[in-house]
Structure formats: C-alpha cells, structure tokens
Amino acid sequence: MLDLADVAPYLIDKGLISERAVVDGRFRVADVSRLNRVFHVTSEGDGCFVLKGAGEAGEAGVAREAAVLERLCSVHASSELAFC
C-alpha cells in the first residue's frame, strides 16, 4: 500500500513528475483518504493526479473502479466531454 512518503518516488519512477518539481517546491500531495488510500497530487508543469489504493474497500473494488474510469475515458475521448 502506498503511503504519503512513497507518492513522490512512485510518480518519479513512473516518469509522471520530475525530480525538479519536488526539489523546487512545485509538488503538493494531500491525503484525502476515506475507505481507500487516496492522494491528490498537484505538480506545477507536470500535471495533476489522483492516486488510489485499496483500503477497506479492497483491491477488487479499486480495480472495478479503474476499469469503469478507463472505459469512460475511451468512450468520451473524442467528445467535448474530455474529463480524463
């Protein structure tokens, strides 16, 4: 399970944020967890992310939610409702 201290190294490893953003202070993480571990990440120049991991709801619930979001993004990719 991802902890607050793991968020920056995880995103850097995936190539989603730059190390410079963390060093320069342009990187912010907010723990908005409820049933699952959820982190809202903003990184000026690198984007905005929501990281969600299994908590009380379990990995199966998170996997289902990810599949639904992926499908919604693919359906709306060519429409004006690009929310992904």
Side-chain angles (χ1 to χ4, degrees):
M1 185 182 311
L2 208 60
D3 286 319
L4 187 62
D6 301 323
V7 172
Y10 175 81
L11 292 173
I12 291 168
D13 185 55
K14 298 292 183 187
L16 297 171
I17 65 165
S18 65
E19 293 173 341
R20 173 68 59 195
V22 177
V23 173
D24 288 348
R26 296 179 289 136
F27 177 78
R28 302 274 188 268
V29 180
D31 187 344
V32 293
S33 301
R34 299 233 193 278
L35 295 176
N36 296 297
R37 296 290 295 179
V38 180
F39 300 102
H40 181 252
V41 180
T42 54
S43 179
E44 185 180 318
D46 290 326
C48 176
F49 305 93
V50 175
L51 299 179
K52 185 172 185 178
E56 293 177 27
E59 290 184 27
V62 173
R64 279 192 303 274
E65 185 175 330
V68 168
L69 290 172
E70 183 177 356
R71 182 157 169 84
L72 287 171
C73 287
S74 66
V75 168
H76 293 290
S78 62
S79 75
E80 293 179 19
L81 299 174
F83 57 90
C84 300

